[in-house]
Amino acid sequence: MSADGSNAWEPLLDGELRRSAQRAVDEICEEVATFSSDARINPQLLAGCALLHAYLAVARQDGRHSKIADRFLESAIDALAETPMRPALHGGFTGLAWIVEHLQHPPFTPAGVALDSDSNSEIDEALLNYLAVPRWNDVYDLIGGLVGFGVYALERLPRPSAVACIGRVVDHLDAISIKEDGGVTWWTPAELLPPIGRTPGEKGNFNLGVSHGVPGVIGFLAQTRNAGQVSPKLESMLAGAISWLLKQKLPKGAGSVFAHATGGNSEPRPSRAAWCYGDPGISAVLLAAARSADSTEWEAEALQIGLAAASRDPARCGVNDGGLCHGAAGLGHVYNRLFHATGEGAFADASRLWFERALQVRKAGQGVAGFAAHLPKLEPTLQWQSDRDFLMGATGIALALLAATSTVEPLWDRLLLTALQPRV
């Protein structure tokens, strides 16, 4: 069901494909359930396991999964006390805190039930102190920077600390932005480029991925607007960022609408199709922005970009594994969200195709329940790895497959800025 209790969210998969997806979820959970809760293990990884089992508990009305979720969450909180972590939404303590907050609200807890204490109050205080600098000199992105901090704060609304955090994030984004010709954008200097994608001699760039770049800022500003945290500064940034982004389109026939990055000494070239980089993720955040501002112009752009991506030859999408970040399940989920938000049949078809391909990449005896993560920048012998993580591993795959086979709206994807309101 959706957050308001309506049945706007419906399972996309049926028949044998649905049964195969459900079996995959079960097999992933069977392996994840045996995952050690040793404090040496990444606390956010444990929290991701809790998130999966919490959604399973609601989808299947199974208290066993609820107990497993509680156990994982307790282990994650205990492990955090023993594990130094950076303040990042993905891979840091902010992400763990987001999951703790998320699981304290319906449909995981009864509406109107007041908690005895606020387990994230110290996180809020630490984050506000971290943001209390005159000028921001670190990354601004969703994965580990300002945008990610803002996404955490959105989950914490309407607490005063969350309002203050969002205000500081917006102020920093405005201060470090580049404004020219009616557009607004953000530069990533060479020293702050993601290490896995950095090439020798690179001078920096304007990143065009949701995960690390300007589209992530657009998605955050849109969700902030939806939450009622509107200001003239936010409005001008959102409009300016979209204006700038739409000017970065590649020539027709290039292979994708947007490149991976532009500016500096990076030559714009077609991007893979994925949530993290490429047209599918950009389409989702643009649609969110369009709906937040009631802009038919932006919505038309979002649909055009999304439909072009949905029709792209799968063999030319650069997809090798099943993960959420840049894999088949991630594409299946983004198109599932776009279908529920628009009713466009082409998105439903694309979603089914990519979920089918996600199930086809399973290889018995590899990874987690047959799903292995592909890391092409590593040495050949290390390119395929076992990964239980949310973004690139089996936990995220299971959540996406569950969303495609149940009536529970996947609000966990607020972590990806793709939580579009389903069409009623």
Side-chain angles (χ1 to χ4, degrees):
M1 67 179 63
S2 64
D4 62 2
S6 67
N7 290 319
W9 188 267
E10 298 293 337
L12 181 77
L13 305 184
D14 55 19
E16 181 54 33
L17 184 56
R18 181 180 184 178
R19 289 188 288 274
S20 296
Q22 290 172 326
R23 285 194 296 270
V25 172
D26 289 340
E27 291 171 23
I28 290 171
C29 286
E30 186 175 336
E31 291 200 29
V32 165
T34 62
F35 189 31
S36 170
S37 60
D38 192 302
R40 292 170 296 179
I41 295 173
N42 187 314
Q44 193 179 8
L45 188 53
L46 294 168
C49 296
L51 185 67
L52 170 58
H53 281 280
Y55 270 90
L56 273 164
V58 175
R60 299 182 179 177
Q61 294 297 293
D62 187 343
R64 181 177 62 92
H65 285 293
S66 182
K67 291 178 181 177
I68 295 173
D70 289 343
R71 188 174 74 241
F72 271 122
L73 200 59
E74 290 171 6
S75 297
I77 294 170
D78 290 344
L80 180 60
E82 305 294 331
T83 309
M85 293 187 76
R86 59 196 179 100
L89 185 68
H90 293 278
F93 66 75
T94 309
L96 190 161
W98 187 97
I99 292 173
V100 169
E101 179 67 29
H102 187 65
L103 297 185
Q104 292 178 3
H105 299 280
F108 310 105
T109 58
V113 174
L115 298 175
D116 294 334
S117 61
D118 182 3
S119 57
N120 279 345
S121 59
E122 292 183 5
I123 299 292
D124 289 6
E125 183 179 355
L127 198 55
L128 284 169
N129 287 336
Y130 190 61
L131 291 167
V133 292
R135 180 172 178 82
W136 191 254
N137 292 308
D138 206 339
V139 293
Y140 69 84
D141 66 11
L142 171 67
I143 297 296
L146 289 171
V147 170
F149 304 148
V151 169
Y152 164 74
L154 286 172
E155 201 70 12
R156 295 277 289 162
L157 287 173
R159 294 175 178 85
S161 58
V163 174
C165 182
I166 290 170
R168 291 185 187 182
V169 168
V170 169
D171 286 345
H172 282 312
L173 285 171
D174 179 61
I176 65 173
S177 66
I178 297 173
K179 303 177 178 69
E180 56 185 17
D181 299 327
V184 180
T185 188
W186 288 265
W187 175 257
T188 304
E191 65 271 17
L192 295 181
L193 289 173
I196 197 169
R198 190 183 305 167
T199 58
E202 196 161 3
K203 298 178 180 178
N205 59 40
F206 296 108
N207 191 295
L208 299 180
V210 173
S211 58
H212 289 292
V214 176
V217 179
I218 291 171
F220 162 66
L221 295 176
Q223 299 298 343
T224 301
R225 196 181 192 286
N226 282 339
Q229 303 298 303
V230 186
S231 67
K233 186 180 294 185
L234 183 148
E235 297 278 19
S236 63
M237 268 199 294
L238 179 59
I242 292 176
S243 175
W244 180 88
L245 180 65
L246 294 177
K247 292 175 184 177
Q248 310 311 311
K249 291 182 179 180
L250 294 171
K252 288 185 178 180
S256 67
V257 179
F258 291 98
H260 176 281
T262 189
N265 53 355
S266 297
E267 182 181 348
R269 56 184 182 273
S271 175
R272 64 169 34 143
W275 163 77
C276 57
Y277 286 97
D279 302 336
I282 291 174
S283 173
V285 297
L286 277 178
L287 185 58
R291 297 281 173 85
S292 75
D294 196 24
S295 170
T296 56
E297 179 184 353
W298 293 351
E299 179 149 351
E301 290 281 2
L303 288 175
Q304 184 179 33
I305 294 163
L307 291 170
S311 66
R312 187 170 171 180
D313 181 355
R316 297 179 178 274
C317 288
V319 175
N320 295 302
D321 63 9
L324 286 179
C325 184
H326 48 258
L331 280 174
H333 183 71
V334 171
Y335 290 132
N336 194 7
R337 265 296 184 186
L338 289 169
F339 167 65
H340 273 86
T342 67
E344 289 282 349
F347 290 135
D349 292 342
S351 181
R352 293 188 187 99
L353 180 151
W354 283 107
F355 278 126
E356 184 172 14
R357 291 177 78 92
L359 295 169
Q360 289 171 348
V361 302
R362 296 180 73 188
K363 295 181 181 179
Q366 293 190 8
V368 179
F371 292 102
H374 187 239
L375 303 170
K377 294 290 184 180
L378 299 181
E379 293 294 327
T381 56
L382 300 176
Q383 286 186 1
W384 290 95
Q385 296 193 357
S386 180
D387 194 333
R388 291 177 171 85
D389 203 2
F390 171 80
L391 264 188
M392 297 180 60
T395 299
I397 294 171
L399 281 164
L401 291 172
L402 181 64
T405 56
S406 78
T407 58
V408 179
E409 184 180 359
L411 295 176
W412 52 261
D413 68 352
R414 289 201 283 254
L415 285 167
L416 305 177
L417 293 171
T418 56
L420 302 165
Q421 183 67 33
R423 190 178 62 131
V424 179

